[in-house]
Amino acid sequence: MSNYSVVYREPRTVLKYDSTHIIGYLNEKVLSNYQPEANTQDNQPDPYTGYQYTGVEKDGGTIMPCQDITSYHDVVNALIRSKYSESEEMAVNRHKIGGDDAYAEEWKTYNDWCEQAKSISKSWLGITD
């Protein structure tokens, strides 16, 4: 599966895609003084602050299953599922429960993504602590 990176003039967040999916704009990278390619030799656009998103869709978004775009828990779950299937998540948990230190980095990576998913969801939904 290919990834696409797209730069926008304004930050993007999440939109309802259809009745059971959202499209989220992940992996945000802020580009100061972004200089887009010229449309023609005579028309060089001025640099601007760009917001780059990378995802599997051609617009840089990522489509994720989500029943309720207004539900914090549904959005967090959608974000977690964008990187971990249920079986992958269960495997990470089994490794942790098994106490095998060989999986310590895997556990940390998984937990870091879960915390990031919670933070992104709060930002998208306008939830303040």
Side-chain angles (χ1 to χ4, degrees):
M1 196 176 281
S2 296
N3 279 327
Y4 300 92
S5 291
V6 179
V7 176
Y8 294 93
R9 287 185 175 270
E10 301 292 329
R12 302 203 91 178
T13 58
V14 64
L15 301 167
K16 187 169 186 68
Y17 186 76
D18 64 23
S19 63
T20 59
H21 294 85
I22 58 175
I23 184 165
Y25 295 86
L26 304 172
N27 310 304
E28 181 181 83
K29 184 176 178 183
V30 179
L31 306 170
S32 299
N33 294 313
Y34 174 70
Q35 181 65 62
E37 293 182 23
N39 296 336
T40 66
Q41 286 183 317
D42 297 330
N43 187 13
Q44 180 65 38
D46 293 332
Y48 59 88
T49 299
Y51 300 87
Q52 180 179 351
Y53 300 93
T54 301
V56 296
E57 299 301 317
K58 289 186 179 181
D59 71 347
T62 300
I63 297 172
M64 300 167 270
C66 182
Q67 293 295 319
D68 183 359
I69 194 172
T70 65
S71 166
Y72 169 74
H73 296 289
D74 284 2
V75 174
V76 169
N77 188 57
L79 285 162
I80 292 170
R81 292 287 164 262
S82 75
K83 291 202 188 253
Y84 293 91
S85 69
E86 285 185 57
S87 61
E88 290 168 331
E89 185 177 27
M90 289 174 67
V92 170
N93 282 290
R94 282 193 307 272
H95 294 155
K96 175 63 175 169
I97 291 167
D100 189 342
D101 289 339
Y103 295 103
E105 187 60 32
E106 175 188 56
W107 179 251
K108 181 183 180 327
T109 300
Y110 165 74
N111 274 298
D112 288 349
W113 175 243
C114 290
E115 290 303 314
Q116 191 174 355
K118 289 165 41 177
S119 177
I120 291 168
S121 294
K122 286 179 181 178
S123 173
W124 284 355
L125 297 173
I127 297 171
T128 57
D129 290 326

